[in-house]
Amino acid sequence: MRKKNKKTRSRHGLQAVTLCISTAMVLVLLGLVVFAVCTARNLSAYVKQNIVVTMMLQDDMTSGEAQQFCTKLKARPYIHTLQYISKEQALREGIKELGTDPREFAETNPFLSSVEVTLTSDYANSDSLKFISKELKAYPKVSEVKYQKDLIDSVNANIAKISIVLLALAVLLTIVSFSLINNTVRLSIYARRFSIHTMKLVGASWGFIRAPFVRHYVLLGLLAALIACCVLGGGVYALFMYEPEVLDLITWEVLAITAGTVVVFGIFITAICSIISVNKFLRMKAGDLYKI
């Protein structure tokens, strides 16, 4: 009898380990998708905020007027960063790029002063830029506003495609994850279907029978989620060691959302799957338990 109980506990322990590992693997895949979605959002904002809009200023604008103009611009809600480039600075950069001083031929500085701005990510799209461009041109002594319209359209189109693919992948993976974990939990509870029926025969309520199973599998789901978070954290650390600049995209918010999603999903799905599986065997009659 003691050997039989020991063998039963060993079998249940092996089932718990198998369920924990399989659930952790599924949660790692889910975490990767969530991580990719959050990182893609940050990448989108990063790319948009590095699109430069250049305002060419008229030749007769003084440095003092330009500084006042920049101060006004900083108050606009769509401005992310702003840099004033004087005629002298533009000349120095031109000499460096051309390898010669254009004043030798033109006798005067041919470069105009300018203001380079980057926009917040919410305004870095074609429709907003049309409105912003008109507003900037309305300022006195702004001769021209230039930006790469084709680049902006291309960035927004590619981001939209990537977002749709990641969303579809997340939905598909969620369905697959639920199916895999549900089957694993059901197989584990299947081995104890006669114990469930015995408790039902002695008058135990469904809630009383169900509670220990739900607690057990929720704890396993939490443990699997922690294992998955450790695996994902190790992957992020390895990525950081390979390319430290990824910290511009992988923020603490991304890590928190990914870890939180993995933990919540691990607890929620194991709780739901255990409730569904236990209820299935609770509804069965004694004769049906031998037919499955």
Side-chain angles (χ1 to χ4, degrees):
M1 187 69 176
R2 186 177 300 172
K3 290 182 179 180
K4 184 177 180 180
N5 291 336
K6 186 176 180 180
K7 185 176 181 181
T8 301
R9 286 196 299 268
S10 177
R11 184 172 67 250
H12 289 165
L14 182 60
Q15 290 174 347
V17 172
T18 302
L19 174 63
C20 187
I21 293 174
S22 59
T23 304
M25 293 174 65
V26 172
L27 292 176
V28 167
L29 294 176
L30 179 67
L32 286 174
V33 173
V34 175
F35 178 79
V37 171
C38 294
T39 305
R41 184 190 63 182
N42 285 353
L43 178 60
S44 169
Y46 178 80
V47 171
K48 288 180 177 181
Q49 288 175 355
N50 280 274
I51 295 175
V52 178
V53 177
T54 304
M55 289 176 287
M56 305 305 299
L57 306 179
Q58 294 179 4
D59 190 50
D60 59 344
M61 178 177 273
T62 64
S63 297
E65 291 174 333
Q67 294 297 334
Q68 293 179 357
F69 174 59
C70 290
T71 302
K72 291 181 180 179
L73 277 182
K74 288 179 181 179
R76 304 305 297 159
Y78 48 77
I79 298 296
H80 180 244
T81 62
L82 181 148
Q83 181 182 10
Y84 169 65
I85 300 176
S86 64
K87 295 178 63 174
E88 292 74 17
Q89 184 179 348
L91 176 62
R92 289 194 296 270
E93 293 178 356
I95 293 174
K96 186 182 296 184
E97 291 180 4
L98 299 174
T100 183
D101 191 342
R103 288 177 298 182
E104 297 177 357
F105 309 98
E107 296 182 355
T108 59
N109 184 355
F111 294 99
L112 297 175
S113 57
S114 62
V115 177
E116 293 184 350
V117 301
T118 59
L119 308 177
T120 58
S121 58
D122 293 336
Y123 290 91
N125 54 71
S126 297
D127 294 336
S128 298
L129 275 167
K130 288 179 182 178
F131 168 77
I132 292 171
S133 179
K134 290 181 180 179
E135 182 176 322
L136 295 177
K137 285 181 181 178
Y139 281 100
K141 298 187 178 182
V142 174
S143 59
E144 186 181 4
V145 177
K146 299 187 295 183
Y147 61 89
Q148 295 176 300
K149 183 178 183 300
D150 293 338
L151 175 61
I152 294 171
D153 292 338
S154 176
V155 167
N156 288 321
N158 290 331
I159 288 172
K161 292 177 182 178
I162 293 172
S163 299
I164 292 173
V165 170
L166 289 176
L167 180 62
L169 183 60
V171 172
L172 178 62
L173 185 58
T174 300
I175 296 172
V176 172
S177 300
F178 182 84
S179 177
L180 290 174
I181 295 176
N182 184 51
N183 288 335
T184 306
V185 171
R186 181 174 296 180
L187 286 173
S188 180
I189 296 177
Y190 170 81
R192 304 177 66 181
R193 65 192 186 281
F194 292 110
S195 298
I196 294 174
H197 184 67
T198 301
M199 287 188 286
K200 188 171 67 171
L201 288 177
V202 299
S205 66
W206 283 27
F208 180 82
I209 297 171
R210 194 166 43 228
F213 287 96
V214 174
R215 285 197 299 269
H216 175 70
Y217 289 105
V218 164
L219 288 175
L220 286 179
L222 178 60
L223 179 59
L226 293 177
I227 293 173
C229 288
C230 290
V231 173
L232 292 170
V236 172
Y237 179 75
L239 184 61
F240 167 72
M241 295 300 294
Y242 178 76
E243 184 59 59
E245 292 183 359
V246 296
L247 289 182
D248 293 335
L249 303 177
I250 304 174
T251 61
W252 285 110
E253 181 184 6
V254 172
L255 298 178
I257 291 175
T258 303
T261 302
V262 169
V263 171
V264 170
F265 190 82
I267 294 174
F268 175 77
I269 198 170
T270 48
I272 294 298
C273 291
S274 60
I275 291 172
I276 293 174
S277 299
V278 173
N279 285 346
K280 176 185 176 182
F281 293 114
L282 284 171
R283 285 191 293 265
M284 285 185 176
K285 296 180 179 178
D288 296 333
L289 296 176
Y290 294 94
K291 298 178 181 179
I292 58 175

